[in-house]
PDB file of all heavy atoms in Angstrom:
ATOM      1  N   ALA O  15      84.337 212.687 141.188  1.00 95.00           N
ATOM      2  CA  ALA O  15      85.527 213.324 140.604  1.00 95.00           C
ATOM      3  C   ALA O  15      85.162 214.163 139.387  1.00 95.00           C
ATOM      4  O   ALA O  15      85.749 215.229 139.154  1.00 95.00           O
ATOM      5  CB  ALA O  15      86.555 212.262 140.230  1.00 95.00           C
ATOM      6  N   GLU O  16      84.176 213.691 138.639  1.00 96.00           N
ATOM      7  CA  GLU O  16      83.756 214.426 137.439  1.00 96.00           C
ATOM      8  C   GLU O  16      83.102 215.754 137.822  1.00 96.00           C
ATOM      9  O   GLU O  16      83.371 216.802 137.208  1.00 96.00           O
ATOM     10  CB  GLU O  16      82.787 213.576 136.624  1.00 96.00           C
ATOM     11  CG  GLU O  16      82.353 214.228 135.310  1.00 96.00           C
ATOM     12  CD  GLU O  16      81.320 213.411 134.547  1.00 96.00           C
ATOM     13  OE1 GLU O  16      80.842 212.393 135.092  1.00 96.00           O
ATOM     14  OE2 GLU O  16      80.979 213.813 133.414  1.00 96.00           O
ATOM     15  N   LYS O  17      82.249 215.723 138.848  1.00 97.00           N
ATOM     16  CA  LYS O  17      81.587 216.953 139.278  1.00 97.00           C
ATOM     17  C   LYS O  17      82.604 217.938 139.842  1.00 97.00           C
ATOM     18  O   LYS O  17      82.546 219.142 139.540  1.00 97.00           O
ATOM     19  CB  LYS O  17      80.510 216.649 140.319  1.00 97.00           C
ATOM     20  CG  LYS O  17      79.799 217.912 140.825  1.00 97.00           C
ATOM     21  CD  LYS O  17      78.622 217.587 141.723  1.00 97.00           C
ATOM     22  CE  LYS O  17      77.945 218.869 142.211  1.00 97.00           C
ATOM     23  NZ  LYS O  17      76.735 218.610 143.014  1.00 97.00           N
ATOM     24  N   ILE O  18      83.516 217.457 140.652  1.00 96.00           N
ATOM     25  CA  ILE O  18      84.528 218.345 141.230  1.00 96.00           C
ATOM     26  C   ILE O  18      85.345 219.013 140.131  1.00 96.00           C
ATOM     27  O   ILE O  18      85.581 220.230 140.175  1.00 96.00           O
ATOM     28  CB  ILE O  18      85.445 217.562 142.199  1.00 96.00           C
ATOM     29  CG1 ILE O  18      84.668 217.146 143.451  1.00 96.00           C
ATOM     30  CG2 ILE O  18      86.653 218.406 142.597  1.00 96.00           C
ATOM     31  CD1 ILE O  18      85.401 216.158 144.343  1.00 96.00           C
ATOM     32  N   LYS O  19      85.759 218.224 139.140  1.00 96.00           N
ATOM     33  CA  LYS O  19      86.565 218.798 138.046  1.00 96.00           C
ATOM     34  C   LYS O  19      85.751 219.808 137.246  1.00 96.00           C
ATOM     35  O   LYS O  19      86.251 220.886 136.895  1.00 96.00           O
ATOM     36  CB  LYS O  19      87.082 217.702 137.124  1.00 96.00           C
ATOM     37  CG  LYS O  19      87.992 218.245 136.015  1.00 96.00           C
ATOM     38  CD  LYS O  19      88.515 217.153 135.120  1.00 96.00           C
ATOM     39  CE  LYS O  19      89.536 217.719 134.116  1.00 96.00           C
ATOM     40  NZ  LYS O  19      89.041 218.891 133.367  1.00 96.00           N
ATOM     41  N   ALA O  20      84.501 219.471 136.930  1.00 97.00           N
ATOM     42  CA  ALA O  20      83.672 220.367 136.114  1.00 97.00           C
ATOM     43  C   ALA O  20      83.431 221.701 136.823  1.00 97.00           C
ATOM     44  O   ALA O  20      83.560 222.776 136.211  1.00 97.00           O
ATOM     45  CB  ALA O  20      82.341 219.689 135.790  1.00 97.00           C
ATOM     46  N   ILE O  21      83.083 221.650 138.113  1.00 97.00           N
ATOM     47  CA  ILE O  21      82.833 222.887 138.854  1.00 97.00           C
ATOM     48  C   ILE O  21      84.125 223.681 139.025  1.00 97.00           C
ATOM     49  O   ILE O  21      84.137 224.919 138.888  1.00 97.00           O
ATOM     50  CB  ILE O  21      82.207 222.583 140.231  1.00 97.00           C
ATOM     51  CG1 ILE O  21      80.832 221.941 140.082  1.00 97.00           C
ATOM     52  CG2 ILE O  21      82.125 223.844 141.077  1.00 97.00           C
ATOM     53  CD1 ILE O  21      79.736 222.862 139.634  1.00 97.00           C
ATOM     54  N   THR O  22      85.231 222.986 139.303  1.00 97.00           N
ATOM     55  CA  THR O  22      86.512 223.679 139.449  1.00 97.00           C
ATOM     56  C   THR O  22      86.913 224.362 138.156  1.00 97.00           C
ATOM     57  O   THR O  22      87.400 225.503 138.156  1.00 97.00           O
ATOM     58  CB  THR O  22      87.615 222.703 139.901  1.00 97.00           C
ATOM     59  OG1 THR O  22      87.220 222.082 141.129  1.00 97.00           O
ATOM     60  CG2 THR O  22      88.933 223.431 140.117  1.00 97.00           C
ATOM     61  N   ASP O  23      86.698 223.680 137.033  1.00 97.00           N
ATOM     62  CA  ASP O  23      86.997 224.294 135.726  1.00 97.00           C
ATOM     63  C   ASP O  23      86.149 225.542 135.503  1.00 97.00           C
ATOM     64  O   ASP O  23      86.631 226.555 134.958  1.00 97.00           O
ATOM     65  CB  ASP O  23      86.753 223.293 134.593  1.00 97.00           C
ATOM     66  CG  ASP O  23      87.814 222.195 134.542  1.00 97.00           C
ATOM     67  OD1 ASP O  23      88.868 222.355 135.195  1.00 97.00           O
ATOM     68  OD2 ASP O  23      87.587 221.181 133.850  1.00 97.00           O
ATOM     69  N   LEU O  24      84.888 225.489 135.921  1.00 98.00           N
ATOM     70  CA  LEU O  24      84.026 226.670 135.805  1.00 98.00           C
ATOM     71  C   LEU O  24      84.542 227.797 136.698  1.00 98.00           C
ATOM     72  O   LEU O  24      84.581 228.961 136.275  1.00 98.00           O
ATOM     73  CB  LEU O  24      82.587 226.312 136.181  1.00 98.00           C
ATOM     74  CG  LEU O  24      81.777 225.572 135.107  1.00 98.00           C
ATOM     75  CD1 LEU O  24      80.542 224.937 135.703  1.00 98.00           C
ATOM     76  CD2 LEU O  24      81.398 226.528 133.978  1.00 98.00           C
ATOM     77  N   TYR O  25      84.937 227.460 137.922  1.00 98.00           N
ATOM     78  CA  TYR O  25      85.504 228.476 138.811  1.00 98.00           C
ATOM     79  C   TYR O  25      86.731 229.123 138.169  1.00 98.00           C
ATOM     80  O   TYR O  25      86.921 230.346 138.256  1.00 98.00           O
ATOM     81  CB  TYR O  25      85.899 227.851 140.148  1.00 98.00           C
ATOM     82  CG  TYR O  25      84.747 227.494 141.071  1.00 98.00           C
ATOM     83  CD1 TYR O  25      84.979 226.741 142.230  1.00 98.00           C
ATOM     84  CD2 TYR O  25      83.437 227.894 140.815  1.00 98.00           C
ATOM     85  CE1 TYR O  25      83.948 226.422 143.095  1.00 98.00           C
ATOM     86  CE2 TYR O  25      82.402 227.550 141.668  1.00 98.00           C
ATOM     87  CZ  TYR O  25      82.665 226.818 142.803  1.00 98.00           C
ATOM     88  OH  TYR O  25      81.641 226.486 143.660  1.00 98.00           O
ATOM     89  N   ASP O  26      87.554 228.303 137.528  1.00 97.00           N
ATOM     90  CA  ASP O  26      88.758 228.839 136.872  1.00 97.00           C
ATOM     91  C   ASP O  26      88.385 229.787 135.745  1.00 97.00           C
ATOM     92  O   ASP O  26      88.975 230.875 135.617  1.00 97.00           O
ATOM     93  CB  ASP O  26      89.617 227.691 136.325  1.00 97.00           C
ATOM     94  CG  ASP O  26      90.272 226.864 137.410  1.00 97.00           C
ATOM     95  OD1 ASP O  26      90.349 227.346 138.561  1.00 97.00           O
ATOM     96  OD2 ASP O  26      90.711 225.734 137.108  1.00 97.00           O
ATOM     97  N   SER O  27      87.428 229.387 134.932  1.00 97.00           N
ATOM     98  CA  SER O  27      87.066 230.214 133.775  1.00 97.00           C
ATOM     99  C   SER O  27      86.347 231.498 134.190  1.00 97.00           C
ATOM    100  O   SER O  27      86.449 232.530 133.522  1.00 97.00           O
ATOM    101  CB  SER O  27      86.190 229.412 132.796  1.00 97.00           C
ATOM    102  OG  SER O  27      84.978 229.017 133.403  1.00 97.00           O
ATOM    103  N   ILE O  28      85.636 231.456 135.308  1.00 98.00           N
ATOM    104  CA  ILE O  28      84.939 232.651 135.809  1.00 98.00           C
ATOM    105  C   ILE O  28      85.870 233.507 136.671  1.00 98.00           C
ATOM    106  O   ILE O  28      85.583 234.659 136.980  1.00 98.00           O
ATOM    107  CB  ILE O  28      83.676 232.234 136.600  1.00 98.00           C
ATOM    108  CG1 ILE O  28      82.736 231.423 135.701  1.00 98.00           C
ATOM    109  CG2 ILE O  28      82.923 233.446 137.135  1.00 98.00           C
ATOM    110  CD1 ILE O  28      81.583 230.756 136.439  1.00 98.00           C
ATOM    111  N   ASP O  29      87.006 232.920 137.069  1.00 97.00           N
ATOM    112  CA  ASP O  29      88.047 233.612 137.842  1.00 97.00           C
ATOM    113  C   ASP O  29      87.575 233.992 139.239  1.00 97.00           C
ATOM    114  O   ASP O  29      87.864 235.082 139.734  1.00 97.00           O
ATOM    115  CB  ASP O  29      88.549 234.851 137.099  1.00 97.00           C
ATOM    116  CG  ASP O  29      89.933 235.308 137.595  1.00 97.00           C
ATOM    117  OD1 ASP O  29      90.656 234.464 138.141  1.00 97.00           O
ATOM    118  OD2 ASP O  29      90.257 236.493 137.444  1.00 97.00           O
ATOM    119  N   VAL O  30      86.865 233.067 139.878  1.00 97.00           N
ATOM    120  CA  VAL O  30      86.408 233.366 141.238  1.00 97.00           C
ATOM    121  C   VAL O  30      87.511 233.120 142.269  1.00 97.00           C
ATOM    122  O   VAL O  30      87.413 233.619 143.402  1.00 97.00           O
ATOM    123  CB  VAL O  30      85.141 232.563 141.610  1.00 97.00           C
ATOM    124  CG1 VAL O  30      83.959 233.022 140.792  1.00 97.00           C
ATOM    125  CG2 VAL O  30      85.365 231.070 141.476  1.00 97.00           C
ATOM    126  N   LYS O  31      88.548 232.378 141.911  1.00 97.00           N
ATOM    127  CA  LYS O  31      89.640 232.161 142.863  1.00 97.00           C
ATOM    128  C   LYS O  31      90.289 233.499 143.230  1.00 97.00           C
ATOM    129  O   LYS O  31      90.489 233.809 144.414  1.00 97.00           O
ATOM    130  CB  LYS O  31      90.690 231.214 142.286  1.00 97.00           C
ATOM    131  CG  LYS O  31      91.838 230.929 143.252  1.00 97.00           C
ATOM    132  CD  LYS O  31      92.901 230.027 142.634  1.00 97.00           C
ATOM    133  CE  LYS O  31      94.030 229.769 143.631  1.00 97.00           C
ATOM    134  NZ  LYS O  31      95.135 228.986 143.045  1.00 97.00           N
ATOM    135  N   ALA O  32      90.623 234.298 142.206  1.00 97.00           N
ATOM    136  CA  ALA O  32      91.240 235.601 142.466  1.00 97.00           C
ATOM    137  C   ALA O  32      90.294 236.509 143.233  1.00 97.00           C
ATOM    138  O   ALA O  32      90.713 237.265 144.125  1.00 97.00           O
ATOM    139  CB  ALA O  32      91.640 236.255 141.148  1.00 97.00           C
ATOM    140  N   CYS O  33      89.007 236.411 142.931  1.00 97.00           N
ATOM    141  CA  CYS O  33      88.002 237.214 143.633  1.00 97.00           C
ATOM    142  C   CYS O  33      87.997 236.872 145.122  1.00 97.00           C
ATOM    143  O   CYS O  33      87.971 237.756 145.986  1.00 97.00           O
ATOM    144  CB  CYS O  33      86.639 236.944 143.007  1.00 97.00           C
ATOM    145  SG  CYS O  33      85.321 238.001 143.623  1.00 97.00           S
ATOM    146  N   CYS O  34      88.050 235.573 145.428  1.00 98.00           N
ATOM    147  CA  CYS O  34      88.057 235.124 146.813  1.00 98.00           C
ATOM    148  C   CYS O  34      89.361 235.528 147.507  1.00 98.00           C
ATOM    149  O   CYS O  34      89.345 235.985 148.649  1.00 98.00           O
ATOM    150  CB  CYS O  34      87.859 233.612 146.862  1.00 98.00           C
ATOM    151  SG  CYS O  34      87.621 232.954 148.528  1.00 98.00           S
ATOM    152  N   GLU O  35      90.480 235.375 146.819  1.00 97.00           N
ATOM    153  CA  GLU O  35      91.769 235.759 147.392  1.00 97.00           C
ATOM    154  C   GLU O  35      91.802 237.243 147.736  1.00 97.00           C
ATOM    155  O   GLU O  35      92.340 237.639 148.783  1.00 97.00           O
ATOM    156  CB  GLU O  35      92.895 235.413 146.427  1.00 97.00           C
ATOM    157  CG  GLU O  35      93.163 233.920 146.318  1.00 97.00           C
ATOM    158  CD  GLU O  35      94.137 233.573 145.204  1.00 97.00           C
ATOM    159  OE1 GLU O  35      94.251 234.367 144.241  1.00 97.00           O
ATOM    160  OE2 GLU O  35      94.771 232.496 145.293  1.00 97.00           O
ATOM    161  N   ASN O  36      91.226 238.071 146.876  1.00 97.00           N
ATOM    162  CA  ASN O  36      91.179 239.507 147.145  1.00 97.00           C
ATOM    163  C   ASN O  36      90.321 239.825 148.363  1.00 97.00           C
ATOM    164  O   ASN O  36      90.658 240.699 149.176  1.00 97.00           O
ATOM    165  CB  ASN O  36      90.624 240.252 145.923  1.00 97.00           C
ATOM    166  CG  ASN O  36      91.593 240.262 144.766  1.00 97.00           C
ATOM    167  OD1 ASN O  36      92.806 240.117 144.945  1.00 97.00           O
ATOM    168  ND2 ASN O  36      91.088 240.415 143.553  1.00 97.00           N
ATOM    169  N   LYS O  37      89.213 239.093 148.508  1.00 98.00           N
ATOM    170  CA  LYS O  37      88.326 239.327 149.653  1.00 98.00           C
ATOM    171  C   LYS O  37      88.999 238.863 150.954  1.00 98.00           C
ATOM    172  O   LYS O  37      88.880 239.531 151.997  1.00 98.00           O
ATOM    173  CB  LYS O  37      87.002 238.590 149.445  1.00 98.00           C
ATOM    174  CG  LYS O  37      85.917 238.943 150.428  1.00 98.00           C
ATOM    175  CD  LYS O  37      85.552 240.411 150.418  1.00 98.00           C
ATOM    176  CE  LYS O  37      84.949 240.892 149.135  1.00 98.00           C
ATOM    177  NZ  LYS O  37      84.436 242.279 149.227  1.00 98.00           N
ATOM    178  N   ILE O  38      89.704 237.746 150.899  1.00 97.00           N
ATOM    179  CA  ILE O  38      90.459 237.278 152.065  1.00 97.00           C
ATOM    180  C   ILE O  38      91.461 238.338 152.491  1.00 97.00           C
ATOM    181  O   ILE O  38      91.572 238.685 153.671  1.00 97.00           O
ATOM    182  CB  ILE O  38      91.190 235.954 151.749  1.00 97.00           C
ATOM    183  CG1 ILE O  38      90.190 234.810 151.577  1.00 97.00           C
ATOM    184  CG2 ILE O  38      92.199 235.614 152.859  1.00 97.00           C
ATOM    185  CD1 ILE O  38      90.783 233.556 150.980  1.00 97.00           C
ATOM    186  N   ARG O  39      92.203 238.869 151.519  1.00 97.00           N
ATOM    187  CA  ARG O  39      93.218 239.883 151.805  1.00 97.00           C
ATOM    188  C   ARG O  39      92.566 241.131 152.408  1.00 97.00           C
ATOM    189  O   ARG O  39      93.104 241.736 153.345  1.00 97.00           O
ATOM    190  CB  ARG O  39      93.963 240.239 150.513  1.00 97.00           C
ATOM    191  CG  ARG O  39      95.229 241.076 150.715  1.00 97.00           C
ATOM    192  CD  ARG O  39      95.959 241.294 149.410  1.00 97.00           C
ATOM    193  NE  ARG O  39      96.285 240.030 148.753  1.00 97.00           N
ATOM    194  CZ  ARG O  39      95.714 239.592 147.629  1.00 97.00           C
ATOM    195  NH1 ARG O  39      94.803 240.313 147.020  1.00 97.00           N
ATOM    196  NH2 ARG O  39      96.061 238.430 147.104  1.00 97.00           N
ATOM    197  N   GLU O  40      91.414 241.501 151.896  1.00 98.00           N
ATOM    198  CA  GLU O  40      90.712 242.692 152.387  1.00 98.00           C
ATOM    199  C   GLU O  40      90.367 242.548 153.868  1.00 98.00           C
ATOM    200  O   GLU O  40      90.628 243.456 154.666  1.00 98.00           O
ATOM    201  CB  GLU O  40      89.436 242.898 151.566  1.00 98.00           C
ATOM    202  CG  GLU O  40      88.547 244.032 152.051  1.00 98.00           C
ATOM    203  CD  GLU O  40      87.218 244.079 151.311  1.00 98.00           C
ATOM    204  OE1 GLU O  40      87.170 243.684 150.117  1.00 98.00           O
ATOM    205  OE2 GLU O  40      86.214 244.478 151.937  1.00 98.00           O
ATOM    206  N   TYR O  41      89.792 241.413 154.246  1.00 98.00           N
ATOM    207  CA  TYR O  41      89.400 241.227 155.644  1.00 98.00           C
ATOM    208  C   TYR O  41      90.615 241.017 156.542  1.00 98.00           C
ATOM    209  O   TYR O  41      90.631 241.481 157.694  1.00 98.00           O
ATOM    210  CB  TYR O  41      88.412 240.065 155.776  1.00 98.00           C
ATOM    211  CG  TYR O  41      87.006 240.471 155.405  1.00 98.00           C
ATOM    212  CD1 TYR O  41      86.429 240.075 154.197  1.00 98.00           C
ATOM    213  CD2 TYR O  41      86.251 241.290 156.250  1.00 98.00           C
ATOM    214  CE1 TYR O  41      85.148 240.459 153.850  1.00 98.00           C
ATOM    215  CE2 TYR O  41      84.967 241.687 155.909  1.00 98.00           C
ATOM    216  CZ  TYR O  41      84.419 241.271 154.706  1.00 98.00           C
ATOM    217  OH  TYR O  41      83.154 241.674 154.354  1.00 98.00           O
ATOM    218  N   TYR O  42      91.612 240.329 156.034  1.00 97.00           N
ATOM    219  CA  TYR O  42      92.835 240.143 156.819  1.00 97.00           C
ATOM    220  C   TYR O  42      93.481 241.497 157.126  1.00 97.00           C
ATOM    221  O   TYR O  42      93.876 241.765 158.267  1.00 97.00           O
ATOM    222  CB  TYR O  42      93.809 239.251 156.051  1.00 97.00           C
ATOM    223  CG  TYR O  42      95.142 239.061 156.747  1.00 97.00           C
ATOM    224  CD1 TYR O  42      95.281 238.180 157.812  1.00 97.00           C
ATOM    225  CD2 TYR O  42      96.266 239.770 156.338  1.00 97.00           C
ATOM    226  CE1 TYR O  42      96.495 238.008 158.461  1.00 97.00           C
ATOM    227  CE2 TYR O  42      97.490 239.611 156.974  1.00 97.00           C
ATOM    228  CZ  TYR O  42      97.595 238.723 158.029  1.00 97.00           C
ATOM    229  OH  TYR O  42      98.805 238.559 158.668  1.00 97.00           O
ATOM    230  N   GLU O  43      93.567 242.360 156.134  1.00 97.00           N
ATOM    231  CA  GLU O  43      94.180 243.671 156.339  1.00 97.00           C
ATOM    232  C   GLU O  43      93.352 244.530 157.290  1.00 97.00           C
ATOM    233  O   GLU O  43      93.907 245.268 158.117  1.00 97.00           O
ATOM    234  CB  GLU O  43      94.376 244.369 154.994  1.00 97.00           C
ATOM    235  CG  GLU O  43      95.481 243.715 154.154  1.00 97.00           C
ATOM    236  CD  GLU O  43      95.595 244.296 152.757  1.00 97.00           C
ATOM    237  OE1 GLU O  43      94.753 245.162 152.396  1.00 97.00           O
ATOM    238  OE2 GLU O  43      96.517 243.880 152.022  1.00 97.00           O
ATOM    239  N   LYS O  44      92.028 244.442 157.196  1.00 98.00           N
ATOM    240  CA  LYS O  44      91.174 245.165 158.152  1.00 98.00           C
ATOM    241  C   LYS O  44      91.458 244.697 159.576  1.00 98.00           C
ATOM    242  O   LYS O  44      91.544 245.500 160.512  1.00 98.00           O
ATOM    243  CB  LYS O  44      89.690 244.932 157.831  1.00 98.00           C
ATOM    244  CG  LYS O  44      89.143 245.741 156.666  1.00 98.00           C
ATOM    245  CD  LYS O  44      87.654 245.466 156.516  1.00 98.00           C
ATOM    246  CE  LYS O  44      87.038 246.309 155.406  1.00 98.00           C
ATOM    247  NZ  LYS O  44      85.580 246.039 155.271  1.00 98.00           N
ATOM    248  N   GLY O  45      91.580 243.388 159.744  1.00 98.00           N
ATOM    249  CA  GLY O  45      91.869 242.844 161.057  1.00 98.00           C
ATOM    250  C   GLY O  45      93.204 243.317 161.596  1.00 98.00           C
ATOM    251  O   GLY O  45      93.309 243.722 162.764  1.00 98.00           O
ATOM    252  N   MET O  46      94.227 243.303 160.755  1.00 97.00           N
ATOM    253  CA  MET O  46      95.551 243.711 161.203  1.00 97.00           C
ATOM    254  C   MET O  46      95.595 245.204 161.526  1.00 97.00           C
ATOM    255  O   MET O  46      96.327 245.629 162.425  1.00 97.00           O
ATOM    256  CB  MET O  46      96.601 243.356 160.146  1.00 97.00           C
ATOM    257  CG  MET O  46      96.716 241.854 159.879  1.00 97.00           C
ATOM    258  SD  MET O  46      96.863 240.815 161.361  1.00 97.00           S
ATOM    259  CE  MET O  46      98.548 241.177 161.839  1.00 97.00           C
ATOM    260  N   GLU O  47      94.797 246.007 160.831  1.00 98.00           N
ATOM    261  CA  GLU O  47      94.701 247.431 161.166  1.00 98.00           C
ATOM    262  C   GLU O  47      94.117 247.618 162.566  1.00 98.00           C
ATOM    263  O   GLU O  47      94.562 248.501 163.321  1.00 98.00           O
ATOM    264  CB  GLU O  47      93.827 248.152 160.131  1.00 98.00           C
ATOM    265  CG  GLU O  47      94.507 248.346 158.776  1.00 98.00           C
ATOM    266  CD  GLU O  47      93.553 248.878 157.721  1.00 98.00           C
ATOM    267  OE1 GLU O  47      92.392 249.214 158.083  1.00 98.00           O
ATOM    268  OE2 GLU O  47      93.949 248.943 156.544  1.00 98.00           O
ATOM    269  N   CYS O  48      93.130 246.777 162.913  1.00 98.00           N
ATOM    270  CA  CYS O  48      92.545 246.864 164.258  1.00 98.00           C
ATOM    271  C   CYS O  48      93.570 246.461 165.312  1.00 98.00           C
ATOM    272  O   CYS O  48      93.636 247.075 166.389  1.00 98.00           O
ATOM    273  CB  CYS O  48      91.307 245.979 164.356  1.00 98.00           C
ATOM    274  SG  CYS O  48      89.912 246.561 163.368  1.00 98.00           S
ATOM    275  N   LEU O  49      94.376 245.441 165.013  1.00 98.00           N
ATOM    276  CA  LEU O  49      95.410 245.030 165.964  1.00 98.00           C
ATOM    277  C   LEU O  49      96.445 246.135 166.134  1.00 98.00           C
ATOM    278  O   LEU O  49      96.930 246.375 167.252  1.00 98.00           O
ATOM    279  CB  LEU O  49      96.078 243.738 165.490  1.00 98.00           C
ATOM    280  CG  LEU O  49      97.149 243.152 166.419  1.00 98.00           C
ATOM    281  CD1 LEU O  49      96.604 242.884 167.810  1.00 98.00           C
ATOM    282  CD2 LEU O  49      97.735 241.874 165.816  1.00 98.00           C
ATOM    283  N   GLU O  50      96.780 246.816 165.052  1.00 97.00           N
ATOM    284  CA  GLU O  50      97.728 247.937 165.140  1.00 97.00           C
ATOM    285  C   GLU O  50      97.207 249.030 166.071  1.00 97.00           C
ATOM    286  O   GLU O  50      97.993 249.708 166.739  1.00 97.00           O
ATOM    287  CB  GLU O  50      97.977 248.529 163.748  1.00 97.00           C
ATOM    288  CG  GLU O  50      98.818 247.664 162.816  1.00 97.00           C
ATOM    289  CD  GLU O  50     100.258 247.537 163.271  1.00 97.00           C
ATOM    290  OE1 GLU O  50     100.706 248.338 164.113  1.00 97.00           O
ATOM    291  OE2 GLU O  50     100.933 246.601 162.805  1.00 97.00           O
ATOM    292  N   ALA O  51      95.887 249.183 166.134  1.00 98.00           N
ATOM    293  CA  ALA O  51      95.292 250.251 166.946  1.00 98.00           C
ATOM    294  C   ALA O  51      95.274 249.920 168.439  1.00 98.00           C
ATOM    295  O   ALA O  51      94.980 250.783 169.260  1.00 98.00           O
ATOM    296  CB  ALA O  51      93.869 250.533 166.467  1.00 98.00           C
ATOM    297  N   VAL O  52      95.575 248.670 168.789  1.00 98.00           N
ATOM    298  CA  VAL O  52      95.598 248.283 170.210  1.00 98.00           C
ATOM    299  C   VAL O  52      96.809 248.937 170.871  1.00 98.00           C
ATOM    300  O   VAL O  52      97.935 248.873 170.367  1.00 98.00           O
ATOM    301  CB  VAL O  52      95.660 246.748 170.347  1.00 98.00           C
ATOM    302  CG1 VAL O  52      95.852 246.343 171.801  1.00 98.00           C
ATOM    303  CG2 VAL O  52      94.385 246.117 169.780  1.00 98.00           C
TER     304      VAL O  52
END
């Protein structure tokens, strides 16, 4: 539990959650554009 909290706190302070969310959105939108082209 201590390791999970420490690493999660580091992720929060480095703001990698938003970075990952943006990358998810990028690939999701690329995929949906391909579906639109069908």
Side-chain angles (χ1 to χ4, degrees):
E16 183 184 6
K17 179 173 180 176
I18 291 169
K19 183 179 186 308
I21 296 287
T22 303
D23 288 346
L24 282 164
Y25 286 171
D26 290 342
S27 62
I28 301 170
D29 200 24
V30 292
K31 181 182 180 184
C33 187
C34 188
E35 288 171 336
N36 289 337
K37 190 59 65 172
I38 291 168
R39 192 176 304 110
E40 175 187 330
Y41 280 105
Y42 177 78
E43 289 174 356
K44 282 183 177 180
M46 298 311 286
E47 287 172 7
C48 292
L49 182 57
E50 288 292 344
V52 173

